[in-house]
Amino acid sequence: DTLWDIARAEVEKRESPDDDGKRVEVWERSVLFMGSKTGGKTTIILRCLEREEIPKPTLALEYTFGRRARRQNAPKDIAHFWEIGGGTSLLELIRIPITSNNIRSFAVVLVLDLSKPNELWTTMENLLQATRNHVRKILDKLEKTNPEVVTEIKQKMQNSLQRDHPDYDLVDPFPIPLVIIGSKYDIFHEFDSEMRKIISKTLRFVSHYYGASLVFTSKSEALLLKARILINHLAFGYDRSKSVSVDHSKPLFIPAGLDSLSQIGPPPTSDSDFGKMRASTPLELWKKVFEKTFPPKSFCDLRDTKDPAQDSQYAEYEVDVMRAQKNQELEQYKRNASKSWKEMGFDPD
């Protein structure tokens, strides 16, 4: 079936009643995957959709979808999967999949490469900040036209923690559902135990502060399964697991709302260093502690400078031949123009 065939079939299912004469609602959700370049985002998506494909590098913004039925003989719900490639180099593309039309059913999955801790905080900070700013712009516009929707979205995120949770007034939930995945755990597991502890505690704090779920994964099917559980909850409304693993010597698995600041503990640094640090927010304090151990790469270093036109996976013979021809014409034009300027005479006055 083509995409249009599937879309038409889904519309027909929505309009047809079930056995009880009631109209069956088909749910649609959208999930945006972003994060570290070569962090394994495409692999995670393919595993969630149970597709046996060889993952290819994502150059810009790619789209795919999955369909699941909640019960036998029921119409299938649809999940739209978007993926931004290039690490932090294509932040402006975030505004394409996230719109006022789908904001109520949108979620974000942030994939961070645990094997590159010096890039971790910068990647996380820039992507989450860009996403948050864009979502807030959407909510500000909706506030004027449909304030009930904004209230619903904010209430849903506030409910990521139970009202009787001791940290209820101490966190700042992300404006839409968020899952943070630490990938390449197999490499991370070989790190020094103290390094693993700092990275793990920091990601636990960030996830808890934003009301997000956290899971560490690798190419291991057992670990990928845990990531799938959280993603299927976002994409298809499946029940969320209530199991928790906070042992820093093992892969972390912490669904949103099931951690606490008392369990996480203070930032891992000495009392003398702690006293010298000045921070206006808890998040800024954890950032300073983390970057003291793992000095960050600059934002410019993380930007992808590869020319998309030279990527072999997008080669098209006719287009490439025409492009080469136009490049030659441009170079010839530049030479002729330069020669013409040199030949022109100007009065000294």
Side-chain angles (χ1 to χ4, degrees):
D1 292 344
T2 67
L3 184 59
W4 295 114
D5 293 331
I6 295 171
R8 184 172 64 251
E10 292 300 334
V11 171
E12 291 174 353
K13 286 180 180 178
R14 291 185 196 184
E15 297 177 347
S16 61
D18 63 8
D19 296 337
D20 299 326
K22 299 178 181 179
R23 179 168 293 182
V24 178
E25 180 184 4
V26 176
W27 292 358
E28 287 192 42
R29 292 179 172 85
S30 300
V31 183
L32 173 63
F33 287 75
M34 58 186 184
S36 305
K37 186 182 177 184
T38 69
K41 299 182 291 296
T42 305
T43 299
I44 294 171
I45 292 174
L46 292 175
R47 289 293 183 273
C48 286
L49 297 177
E50 299 178 358
R51 294 181 185 170
E52 298 297 330
E53 301 175 19
I54 299 176
K56 297 179 180 179
T58 302
L59 189 61
L61 179 66
E62 293 194 0
Y63 167 82
T64 188
F65 68 95
R67 304 165 74 223
R68 296 280 192 280
R70 276 171 276 175
R71 62 181 185 275
Q72 192 174 5
N73 298 324
K76 293 182 178 180
D77 297 327
I78 303 172
H80 305 280
F81 289 86
W82 297 86
E83 180 188 357
I84 292 181
T88 56
S89 65
L90 300 169
L91 296 178
E92 65 275 10
L93 294 180
I94 289 172
R95 61 185 175 84
I96 294 177
I98 309 178
T99 68
S100 58
N101 293 327
N102 63 17
I103 191 68
R104 295 173 67 184
S105 57
F106 211 99
V108 171
V109 174
L110 176 66
V111 180
L112 299 172
D113 188 341
L114 296 174
S115 70
K116 299 177 180 178
N118 297 87
E119 300 178 8
L120 192 149
W121 191 283
T122 304
T123 298
M124 175 176 65
E125 182 177 57
N126 283 286
L127 288 170
L128 291 183
Q129 187 176 63
T131 305
R132 190 165 202 162
N133 290 341
H134 176 61
V135 171
R136 281 177 171 170
K137 288 179 181 178
I138 293 176
L139 295 181
D140 287 343
K141 290 181 179 179
L142 281 175
E143 190 76 60
K144 300 174 183 177
T145 59
N146 201 341
E148 294 83 5
V149 171
V150 177
T151 301
E152 175 191 330
I153 293 172
K154 290 181 177 179
Q155 188 63 49
K156 182 170 65 174
M157 294 315 301
Q158 288 175 351
N159 291 340
S160 61
L161 279 185
Q162 298 294 327
R163 287 189 174 273
D164 59 353
H165 194 289
D167 304 332
Y168 186 80
D169 295 321
L170 302 176
V171 298
D172 184 18
F174 205 67
I176 55 179
L178 172 66
V179 168
I180 298 178
I181 296 179
S183 65
K184 301 188 180 179
Y185 178 80
D186 49 337
I187 300 175
F188 170 78
H189 188 62
E190 301 300 321
F191 285 7
D192 174 78
S193 61
E194 192 60 31
M195 292 174 61
R196 296 201 311 270
K197 182 178 179 180
I198 293 173
I199 296 170
S200 297
K201 288 190 67 171
T202 300
L203 288 180
R204 281 182 65 186
F205 172 81
V206 171
S207 299
H208 184 60
Y209 186 75
Y210 282 139
S213 298
L214 175 65
V215 60
F216 284 1
T217 189
S218 67
K219 292 182 179 180
S220 160
E221 287 298 328
L223 294 184
L224 281 170
L225 178 60
K226 290 191 174 184
R228 285 174 56 187
I229 291 173
L230 295 177
I231 296 170
N232 282 333
H233 173 69
L234 298 180
F236 299 105
Y238 286 12
D239 290 339
R240 191 184 67 169
S241 172
K242 293 183 179 180
S243 66
V244 177
S245 175
V246 297
D247 187 344
H248 297 147
S249 64
K250 299 177 181 178
L252 298 183
F253 180 81
I254 312 172
L258 299 185
D259 210 344
S260 68
L261 295 177
S262 60
Q263 288 181 308
I264 297 170
T269 187
S270 64
D271 292 339
S272 58
D273 288 338
F274 195 84
K276 297 175 184 177
M277 293 180 179
R278 296 289 181 268
S280 57
T281 65
L283 194 65
E284 185 180 349
L285 177 61
W286 278 83
K287 175 183 177 179
K288 289 187 175 184
V289 171
F290 184 83
E291 292 186 342
K292 187 176 185 302
T293 304
F294 304 105
K297 286 191 174 183
S298 69
F299 183 53
C300 292
D301 291 341
L302 295 177
R303 295 184 71 87
D304 188 7
T305 58
K306 183 178 180 180
D307 182 1
Q310 306 303 319
D311 195 302
S312 59
Q313 70 170 315
Y314 299 104
E316 293 188 40
Y317 178 75
E318 293 82 359
V319 175
D320 295 339
V321 168
M322 182 59 69
R323 180 184 177 90
Q325 178 182 329
K326 293 299 181 182
N327 285 339
Q328 290 178 354
E329 293 175 0
L330 178 61
E331 291 302 319
Q332 185 63 45
Y333 172 80
K334 289 179 179 179
R335 287 193 293 268
N336 293 340
S338 177
K339 184 177 180 181
S340 299
W341 278 102
K342 290 178 181 178
E343 290 175 349
M344 288 183 180
F346 295 90
D347 293 335
D349 297 336

